[in-house]
Each structure stands twice: as C-alpha cells, then as structure tokens.
Amino acid sequence: MVADLPWTIQLEDAQVWQRERTTLTVEVQSTDRFARLEASLPRIESVDVQALPATNEAGADGKRVLRLSWQLSAHTPGTQTLQFPVIRYNLNGRDAAQWQPPLQTLEVQALPPYLPPTTPVGNVMIESHIEPSGVLQPQHLAYWHVSLHSDTVNTAQFPPILKQIKNTHGVEIFPATVRAVREPPLQRLDYRIPFKAQGSGTLDLPTLQWHWFDPATGRLEQVEYSPPRPWVLGWVWRGVSGVFSLLAVLAGLGFGVKLAGKHWRRWRSKKRMLQALQPPDSPQKVRNAMRDCAAAHGWAENFSVAQWLSCWEQHYGAADHLRMQLQALERSRFASP
C-alpha cells in the first residue's frame, strides 16, 4: 500500500538564520476526497515547530493532493538534523498506509552578536484605528485598536509595543487587552488600548518604533509608525468650530449665488444681443445690446465694433455670421444718405 502512494517531502529553505521561519511540507496524491494525512507534532531539540492545518485539495487529472505542513524556527546555529514522525494515510477512519519521512538537514546561520534576542527575524506589519472615529471629546473613554501581523514571524517575536505606550501630559492610558489570532500562515496580535484625552487639540498618541532583521539582506531595519491623530474638541470648541463652519458655508453659498448671477447675466445679455440682430432693424437697439453684453462680461465700456467682436470671439469662439451682420450694420450706419 505504501509503495502505491507517491509521497514527496520539501523543505522551503534549507539555509536559514536563527529564529527565521521556514516550512516543511509532506504531500501525497490520492483519488479519495475523504482521505487525510495525520501525524503527531514533531519534537525537535532547539527548534520551534508549529503544525499547519492538514489539507485535501483538488489536483490535476482528477487526483487529490493531501498535504501536511510544519513551520520551523531554529534557535541554535549550526547543522540541525530534523527527524519527523510517521505520516499516517487515514481513509474511512483507519490508517490505510504509513510513511516515514527521511531525515532532513537544516543549516542555521548565527545572527549578528549585536542583535538583541527580542528582535524579530522578519517583517512585522502594523495597522491601527481609533474608536470612536471622527472628533473625540476630552475626558471621554476611547480605544486605540492596534494590529500587528506577519506571515514570517511568530507572535513570540513580535515587538513589545505596550512598553512604548505610556501616559503623557495630554493622554491617560489604561490597561490594554491583547488577543492572539492564528490563521496559518498569518500570525496576528490585536491590542485594544483604552485612553482618555485630557484636553482639546490633536490627539497625542506615541509614535511606535522597533527594529527587525531582514533575512534576505542580512541587515537591521527600522519601523516607525505614526498613529492616527484625530481632533479632540470640548463642547465650547465644538460650538466655535460650528460657527466658523456655518460662516464658511454661508460665504461659499454667497459666492455661489454671486457666480450663478454673473453667469445668468452673461447668458441673458448674449441672448438679447442675438435677438437684437434678428432682424437688425434698429442700429440703436443693437448698440444698446452690445453695451449691455460688454458690461455683463466685464469688457471695455468704450469700444469699437472690431474691439467688441474680438472680445466676443475670445469668450465664445469664432462667429463669422455675427461679424458679417455687425459689419453690415456699421456700413449702413455711416453710409451717405
């Protein structure tokens, strides 16, 4: 039965740094969708081992791929020999086959001696938000939600951010609660930090900092996270802010009304101008329409027909028909009796 199953074993990275996480995976193909792989948790000296959930997924050619995986993190430098327990192929509630994985070798490189033992080996990401959202009120309880997460670092290596969050002259901090969330391969810590802002202004929460070791480059990197800084306003300042907001709205409304009136006057003067030319039986009527149009658009008060036409075309584009009508009207006006 064992010989009939195509077992494979793969170590993600056989050369790692101390405390760097790597993954070992055992796979086998099967035709049964209800089969699964089982094994006891490996116990390896100086190596932390975390089991990932076993999977049974659809593969190629109607086959199923059964998978067991472990995340490994070695604490001692040097060559580590990894012995894994027997893998059991379980079908219909019984062990239909067993397989003993061959020994695996892990080369572990020592971290630089200057590196503190609490430094994460791998990147830890952060995000946060304030509850309630929006403007806060002094002396009212609020919460700073902080989430640290990583798919390469165990939560035991996460930076101790609570040591950096202390009372200041503007913020009173209360004891936090921490919740660990494991959704392999993701590791996450969720912090809920109660606080009270003491006075009005921008919220002065501390900037969080930590270092982490980048296994890809062998260098020490730094994270500096600035938290949200919403406004904190008491009722008096909220009232003052409301008054200023109302004044700004009224000013904007006034400007909008003024702008709309300006556009309406221009539209009306343009319409009257075109109406005065249909037909142009009164030169004086046309002249008055031109004067009103110039005033509505802010053109020069004393103008010639050529100047007026130039302003019109700059504003509305070329108007050959209008030009011909005005020039004909101008010629008839100065024609000999």
Side-chain angles (χ1 to χ4, degrees), residues 81-241:
T81 301
L82 309 178
Q83 173 68 67
F84 286 84
V86 170
I87 311 298
R88 303 187 304 276
Y89 178 85
N90 188 286
L91 184 61
N92 299 324
R94 64 182 181 85
D95 291 343
Q98 293 186 349
W99 182 66
Q100 175 63 62
L103 294 176
Q104 302 294 306
T105 301
L106 189 64
E107 298 293 337
V108 184
Q109 184 174 349
L111 290 169
Y114 60 80
L115 209 64
T118 56
T119 302
V121 179
N123 193 13
V124 178
M125 289 160 285
I126 181 172
E127 55 188 30
S128 76
H129 67 276
I130 303 296
E131 179 191 357
S133 59
V135 179
L136 303 180
Q137 191 169 343
Q139 301 301 330
H140 279 61
L141 195 64
Y143 298 91
W144 184 16
H145 293 270
V146 180
S147 177
L148 297 180
H149 53 94
S150 176
D151 57 4
T152 59
V153 178
N154 294 326
T155 54
Q157 292 188 55
F158 281 14
I161 61 170
L162 290 180
K163 292 182 179 180
Q164 304 180 45
I165 303 174
K166 300 178 181 179
N167 292 341
T168 66
H169 66 282
V171 181
E172 183 180 4
I173 303 292
F174 298 97
T177 58
V178 186
R179 183 171 66 100
V181 180
R182 289 180 174 85
E183 301 170 349
L186 184 69
Q187 305 273 321
R188 192 172 86 232
L189 289 180
D190 291 335
Y191 298 82
R192 187 171 183 259
I193 306 163
F195 68 91
K196 285 183 181 179
Q198 301 300 302
S200 296
T202 54
L203 184 64
D204 187 21
L205 291 174
T207 297
L208 302 179
Q209 297 180 339
W210 66 85
H211 289 88
W212 64 280
F213 182 78
D214 186 350
T217 63
R219 296 176 55 184
L220 196 63
E221 305 290 346
Q222 181 175 1
V223 173
E224 185 169 312
Y225 177 77
S226 296
R229 302 192 185 277
W231 281 95
V232 182
L233 294 177
W235 290 115
V236 173
W237 284 107
R238 289 182 186 225
V240 172
S241 175

Side-chain angles (χ1 to χ4, degrees), residues 6-10 25-29 37 65-68 99:
W7 298 90
T8 62
I9 185 169
Q10 181 179 6
T25 302
V26 171
E27 288 185 356
V28 69
Q29 290 186 353
L37 298 182
V65 178
L66 282 63
R67 185 179 295 112
L68 272 183
W99 182 66

